[in-house]
Amino acid sequence: MFPGAQRLAFVLAVTGGLSLLSLKRSDEPSVDCATVNGGDGDYNILVVGESWASDGKLLPELPRAVSERLQGRGVKACSIGFAGRNSRLLYSELREKFPRENLYRLFADKTPDKVVLMNGVNDEIQHVGASAYVEYTKKLVEYFSDVDDVEIISIPRVNERRFKPPNLYSAVKRSILSCFYDECQLQVNDLYRVALWRDHPELNVIEYDDFIDRYEGNERRYTADGVHLTDEYFHKYGAFIGGAVSLGKDKRAGT
Protein backbone atom coordinates (compact mmCIF):
# COMPACT_ATOMS: atom_id res chain seq x y z
CA MET A 1 0.00 0.00 0.00
CA PHE A 2 2.91 2.35 0.76
CA PRO A 3 5.78 2.56 -1.76
CA GLY A 4 9.46 2.46 -0.85
CA ALA A 5 10.74 5.24 1.39
CA GLN A 6 7.22 6.36 2.30
CA ARG A 7 6.46 2.90 3.63
CA LEU A 8 9.65 2.87 5.70
CA ALA A 9 8.95 6.32 7.14
CA PHE A 10 5.40 5.28 7.92
CA VAL A 11 6.59 2.14 9.70
CA LEU A 12 9.10 4.02 11.82
CA ALA A 13 6.58 6.67 12.79
CA VAL A 14 3.84 4.21 13.61
CA THR A 15 5.93 1.71 15.50
CA GLY A 16 7.67 4.46 17.42
CA GLY A 17 4.40 6.09 18.34
CA LEU A 18 2.75 2.85 19.34
CA SER A 19 5.74 1.90 21.46
CA LEU A 20 5.53 5.18 23.35
CA LEU A 21 1.81 4.78 23.91
CA SER A 22 1.84 1.10 24.80
CA LEU A 23 1.56 0.22 28.44
CA LYS A 24 2.55 -3.07 30.02
CA ARG A 25 -0.50 -4.97 31.21
CA SER A 26 -0.86 -5.04 34.96
CA ASP A 27 -3.26 -7.98 35.21
CA GLU A 28 -1.61 -11.20 36.27
CA PRO A 29 -1.97 -14.49 34.41
CA SER A 30 -4.39 -16.99 35.90
CA VAL A 31 -3.33 -20.48 36.99
CA ASP A 32 -5.90 -23.25 37.45
CA CYS A 33 -5.54 -27.00 37.93
CA ALA A 34 -7.87 -29.99 38.06
CA THR A 35 -7.13 -33.65 38.75
CA VAL A 36 -9.24 -36.65 37.76
CA ASN A 37 -8.64 -40.08 39.34
CA GLY A 38 -5.47 -38.75 40.94
CA GLY A 39 -2.66 -41.02 42.06
CA ASP A 40 1.10 -41.46 42.13
CA GLY A 41 1.41 -41.97 38.38
CA ASP A 42 -0.70 -39.10 37.08
CA TYR A 43 -0.41 -38.11 33.44
CA ASN A 44 0.38 -34.38 33.60
CA ILE A 45 -0.85 -31.85 31.03
CA LEU A 46 0.12 -28.18 30.91
CA VAL A 47 -2.01 -25.77 28.86
CA VAL A 48 -0.53 -22.36 28.06
CA GLY A 49 -2.42 -19.66 26.21
CA GLU A 50 -4.20 -16.33 26.32
CA SER A 51 -7.73 -15.72 27.62
CA TRP A 52 -9.02 -18.97 26.14
CA ALA A 53 -6.79 -20.78 28.66
CA SER A 54 -7.74 -18.50 31.57
CA ASP A 55 -9.85 -19.09 34.67
CA GLY A 56 -10.11 -22.86 34.38
CA LYS A 57 -12.59 -22.66 31.50
CA LEU A 58 -11.43 -26.01 30.09
CA LEU A 59 -11.51 -27.87 33.40
CA PRO A 60 -12.30 -30.53 34.53
CA GLU A 61 -13.53 -31.77 31.15
CA LEU A 62 -10.05 -31.82 29.59
CA PRO A 63 -8.39 -34.16 32.15
CA ARG A 64 -11.57 -36.24 32.40
CA ALA A 65 -11.53 -36.95 28.66
CA VAL A 66 -7.84 -37.88 28.76
CA SER A 67 -8.35 -40.12 31.81
CA GLU A 68 -11.05 -42.02 29.93
CA ARG A 69 -8.67 -42.53 27.01
CA LEU A 70 -6.02 -43.81 29.44
CA GLN A 71 -8.40 -46.40 30.92
CA GLY A 72 -8.97 -44.47 34.13
CA ARG A 73 -5.40 -43.42 34.83
CA GLY A 74 -5.05 -40.31 36.96
CA VAL A 75 -4.68 -37.10 34.97
CA LYS A 76 -3.73 -33.66 36.23
CA ALA A 77 -4.19 -30.66 33.95
CA CYS A 78 -3.07 -27.12 34.72
CA SER A 79 -3.88 -24.13 32.53
CA ILE A 80 -2.07 -20.79 32.54
CA GLY A 81 -3.87 -17.97 30.78
CA PHE A 82 -2.43 -14.58 29.79
CA ALA A 83 -5.57 -12.62 28.90
CA GLY A 84 -5.20 -10.06 26.12
CA ARG A 85 -1.62 -11.00 25.22
CA ASN A 86 -0.51 -11.71 21.70
CA SER A 87 2.08 -14.46 21.22
CA ARG A 88 5.05 -12.13 21.65
CA LEU A 89 3.80 -10.78 24.96
CA LEU A 90 2.70 -14.23 26.09
CA TYR A 91 6.16 -15.61 25.43
CA SER A 92 7.85 -12.67 27.16
CA GLU A 93 5.72 -12.91 30.30
CA LEU A 94 5.95 -16.68 30.41
CA ARG A 95 9.73 -16.47 30.53
CA GLU A 96 9.66 -13.66 33.08
CA LYS A 97 7.05 -15.05 35.45
CA PHE A 98 7.26 -18.81 34.96
CA PRO A 99 10.82 -20.14 34.71
CA ARG A 100 10.42 -23.83 33.98
CA GLU A 101 11.75 -24.95 37.36
CA ASN A 102 8.98 -22.91 39.01
CA LEU A 103 6.34 -23.83 36.48
CA TYR A 104 6.85 -27.55 36.96
CA ARG A 105 6.17 -27.24 40.67
CA LEU A 106 2.55 -27.49 39.60
CA PHE A 107 3.36 -31.14 38.93
CA ALA A 108 5.49 -31.89 42.01
CA ASP A 109 8.65 -30.80 40.13
CA LYS A 110 8.02 -33.28 37.32
CA THR A 111 8.27 -32.35 33.64
CA PRO A 112 4.74 -32.50 32.21
CA ASP A 113 3.92 -35.36 29.87
CA LYS A 114 2.26 -32.98 27.46
CA VAL A 115 2.06 -29.27 26.70
CA VAL A 116 -0.81 -27.73 24.74
CA LEU A 117 -0.37 -24.20 23.33
CA MET A 118 -3.47 -22.04 22.76
CA ASN A 119 -2.31 -18.78 21.19
CA GLY A 120 -3.07 -16.68 18.15
CA VAL A 121 -6.50 -15.14 18.75
CA ASN A 122 -4.98 -11.88 19.95
CA ASP A 123 -2.41 -11.99 17.13
CA GLU A 124 -5.16 -11.94 14.52
CA ILE A 125 -7.40 -9.49 16.39
CA GLN A 126 -4.51 -7.08 17.03
CA HIS A 127 -3.03 -7.63 13.53
CA VAL A 128 0.53 -8.14 14.69
CA GLY A 129 1.42 -9.85 11.41
CA ALA A 130 1.69 -13.48 10.41
CA SER A 131 5.48 -13.43 10.76
CA ALA A 132 5.27 -12.40 14.43
CA TYR A 133 2.68 -15.09 15.12
CA VAL A 134 4.88 -17.71 13.49
CA GLU A 135 8.08 -16.53 15.19
CA TYR A 136 6.70 -16.52 18.71
CA THR A 137 4.66 -19.68 18.32
CA LYS A 138 7.90 -21.43 17.41
CA LYS A 139 9.62 -19.83 20.42
CA LEU A 140 6.83 -21.04 22.69
CA VAL A 141 7.38 -24.58 21.42
CA GLU A 142 11.12 -24.24 21.94
CA TYR A 143 10.58 -22.97 25.49
CA PHE A 144 9.27 -26.44 26.28
CA SER A 145 12.07 -28.29 24.51
CA ASP A 146 12.41 -30.58 27.53
CA VAL A 147 8.86 -31.88 26.99
CA ASP A 148 8.52 -34.82 24.60
CA ASP A 149 5.00 -33.97 23.45
CA VAL A 150 4.00 -30.40 22.52
CA GLU A 151 0.94 -29.58 20.41
CA ILE A 152 -0.47 -26.29 19.13
CA ILE A 153 -4.15 -25.64 18.57
CA SER A 154 -4.80 -23.81 15.31
CA ILE A 155 -6.16 -20.29 15.78
CA PRO A 156 -9.86 -20.52 16.65
CA ARG A 157 -12.53 -19.13 14.35
CA VAL A 158 -13.78 -15.86 15.82
CA ASN A 159 -15.69 -12.82 14.58
CA GLU A 160 -12.76 -10.85 13.18
CA ARG A 161 -14.80 -8.70 10.81
CA ARG A 162 -17.08 -7.13 13.42
CA PHE A 163 -14.79 -7.19 16.44
CA LYS A 164 -15.07 -3.99 18.49
CA PRO A 165 -11.81 -2.91 20.21
CA PRO A 166 -12.22 -1.93 23.88
CA ASN A 167 -11.10 1.70 23.42
CA LEU A 168 -10.15 4.34 20.85
CA TYR A 169 -6.42 3.68 21.13
CA SER A 170 -6.90 -0.04 20.42
CA ALA A 171 -9.17 0.76 17.49
CA VAL A 172 -6.67 3.17 15.92
CA LYS A 173 -3.77 0.78 16.46
CA ARG A 174 -5.72 -2.13 14.99
CA SER A 175 -6.67 -0.10 11.93
CA ILE A 176 -3.09 1.00 11.28
CA LEU A 177 -1.51 -2.40 11.83
CA SER A 178 -4.12 -4.21 9.75
CA CYS A 179 -3.09 -2.13 6.74
CA PHE A 180 0.63 -2.36 7.42
CA TYR A 181 0.85 -6.10 8.14
CA ASP A 182 -2.32 -7.55 6.63
CA GLU A 183 -3.11 -5.42 3.56
CA CYS A 184 -6.10 -3.88 5.35
CA GLN A 185 -7.78 -7.28 5.58
CA LEU A 186 -9.86 -7.76 8.72
CA GLN A 187 -10.19 -11.53 8.42
CA VAL A 188 -6.70 -13.05 8.59
CA ASN A 189 -7.19 -16.36 10.38
CA ASP A 190 -6.28 -18.48 7.37
CA LEU A 191 -3.38 -16.19 6.46
CA TYR A 192 -1.76 -16.71 9.86
CA ARG A 193 -2.51 -20.43 9.94
CA VAL A 194 -1.01 -21.03 6.50
CA ALA A 195 2.12 -19.07 7.44
CA LEU A 196 2.71 -21.39 10.40
CA TRP A 197 2.16 -24.53 8.34
CA ARG A 198 4.40 -23.22 5.56
CA ASP A 199 7.31 -22.18 7.76
CA HIS A 200 7.14 -24.97 10.34
CA PRO A 201 5.48 -28.09 8.93
CA GLU A 202 7.23 -30.12 11.62
CA LEU A 203 5.05 -28.69 14.38
CA ASN A 204 2.14 -30.74 15.71
CA VAL A 205 -1.17 -28.94 15.25
CA ILE A 206 -4.66 -29.78 16.51
CA GLU A 207 -7.36 -28.52 14.14
CA TYR A 208 -9.78 -26.19 15.89
CA ASP A 209 -12.05 -26.60 12.87
CA ASP A 210 -12.88 -30.11 14.05
CA PHE A 211 -14.68 -28.39 16.94
CA ILE A 212 -16.18 -25.32 15.23
CA ASP A 213 -15.41 -24.90 11.54
CA ARG A 214 -16.57 -21.29 11.14
CA TYR A 215 -17.99 -18.43 13.18
CA GLU A 216 -20.90 -17.67 10.87
CA GLY A 217 -23.78 -19.96 11.72
CA ASN A 218 -22.32 -20.78 15.14
CA GLU A 219 -22.83 -17.40 16.81
CA ARG A 220 -24.82 -18.91 19.70
CA ARG A 221 -21.67 -20.73 20.82
CA TYR A 222 -19.88 -17.41 21.37
CA THR A 223 -20.36 -14.54 23.78
CA ALA A 224 -21.52 -11.14 22.54
CA ASP A 225 -17.95 -10.06 21.72
CA GLY A 226 -17.69 -12.80 19.10
CA VAL A 227 -14.19 -13.64 20.35
CA HIS A 228 -14.84 -15.95 23.29
CA LEU A 229 -16.94 -19.06 23.69
CA THR A 230 -19.80 -19.17 26.18
CA ASP A 231 -19.06 -21.00 29.43
CA GLU A 232 -21.02 -23.99 28.15
CA TYR A 233 -18.95 -24.25 25.01
CA PHE A 234 -15.65 -23.61 26.77
CA HIS A 235 -16.32 -26.71 28.85
CA LYS A 236 -17.26 -28.62 25.69
CA TYR A 237 -14.03 -27.30 24.17
CA GLY A 238 -12.10 -28.76 27.10
CA ALA A 239 -13.64 -32.16 26.37
CA PHE A 240 -12.79 -31.75 22.68
CA ILE A 241 -9.14 -30.99 23.47
CA GLY A 242 -8.97 -33.98 25.79
CA GLY A 243 -10.21 -36.18 22.99
CA ALA A 244 -8.06 -34.60 20.26
CA VAL A 245 -4.60 -34.40 21.83
CA SER A 246 -2.14 -37.08 20.83
CA LEU A 247 -1.15 -39.48 23.59
CA GLY A 248 1.33 -41.38 21.48
CA LYS A 249 4.17 -40.86 23.95
CA ASP A 250 2.29 -42.92 26.54
CA LYS A 251 2.11 -46.65 25.84
CA ARG A 252 -1.12 -46.93 27.84
CA ALA A 253 -2.91 -44.39 25.68
CA GLY A 254 -6.16 -45.42 24.14
CA THR A 255 -6.20 -44.40 20.50
Side-chain angles (χ1 to χ4, degrees):
M1 181 178 181
F2 299 97
Q6 290 180 332
R7 178 181 173 90
L8 178 58
F10 175 78
V11 173
L12 293 175
V14 169
T15 55
L18 293 178
S19 297
L20 290 173
L21 291 172
S22 295
L23 297 175
K24 185 176 181 180
R25 292 185 64 110
S26 59
D27 52 326
E28 290 297 314
S30 68
V31 181
D32 299 273
C33 296
T35 302
V36 175
N37 300 327
D40 292 336
D42 287 351
Y43 185 87
N44 294 319
I45 303 172
L46 176 64
V47 180
V48 177
E50 21 82 311
S51 58
W52 282 52
S54 298
D55 303 322
K57 299 183 182 83
L58 310 173
L59 307 174
E61 288 77 10
L62 194 163
R64 183 180 296 152
V66 173
S67 179
E68 290 175 359
R69 293 175 62 194
L70 295 176
Q71 293 83 50
R73 179 182 175 185
V75 176
K76 181 176 183 179
C78 292
S79 61
I80 302 179
F82 298 78
R85 277 70 157 183
N86 56 46
S87 296
R88 179 182 63 82
L89 294 176
L90 194 162
Y91 173 72
S92 174
E93 287 194 47
L94 181 68
R95 293 184 62 198
E96 175 188 346
K97 298 177 179 179
F98 294 97
R100 284 193 299 270
E101 61 271 19
N102 295 339
L103 186 58
Y104 296 168
R105 288 175 187 167
L106 295 169
F107 305 107
D109 294 321
K110 296 178 182 177
T111 302
D113 297 285
K114 181 167 200 71
V115 170
V116 178
L117 299 176
M118 299 174 58
N119 61 302
V121 171
N122 287 307
D123 295 66
E124 65 175 346
I125 291 299
Q126 297 173 14
H127 291 280
V128 300
S131 61
Y133 165 67
V134 170
E135 176 184 356
Y136 285 96
T137 298
K138 177 64 172 175
K139 286 186 175 183
L140 284 165
V141 173
E142 292 172 343
Y143 189 69
F144 295 105
S145 60
D146 57 337
V147 179
D148 290 334
D149 198 359
V150 179
E151 283 190 284
I152 304 158
I153 300 181
S154 61
I155 305 176
R157 301 295 186 185
V158 299
N159 187 6
E160 299 174 74
R161 290 187 182 279
R162 292 185 293 277
F163 169 71
K164 294 181 179 179
N167 53 56
L168 179 60
Y169 166 68
S170 295
V172 171
K173 183 174 74 169
R174 183 173 188 250
S175 178
I176 292 172
L177 294 183
S178 69
C179 288
F180 176 64
Y181 286 116
D182 298 327
E183 299 181 352
C184 297
Q185 296 182 57
L186 294 180
Q187 191 162 327
V188 296
N189 185 289
D190 287 329
L191 178 67
Y192 284 35
R193 284 187 180 192
V194 168
L196 184 65
W197 296 333
R198 180 195 64 224
D199 293 354
H200 296 291
E202 77 282 2
L203 298 180
N204 299 317
V205 178
I206 298 170
E207 288 300 330
Y208 178 83
D209 291 8
D210 291 337
F211 181 62
I212 298 175
D213 61 349
R214 59 201 297 261
Y215 173 79
E216 292 76 11
N218 293 294
E219 291 89 347
R220 66 183 180 84
R221 302 181 182 185
Y222 293 80
T223 58
D225 65 9
V227 176
H228 298 91
L229 299 174
T230 63
D231 287 345
E232 175 188 0
Y233 275 90
F234 262 124
H235 287 292
K236 290 183 178 182
Y237 188 39
F240 163 76
I241 294 172
V245 294
S246 67
L247 301 176
K249 301 293 184 181
D250 190 276
K251 298 184 184 304
R252 288 170 286 182
T255 56

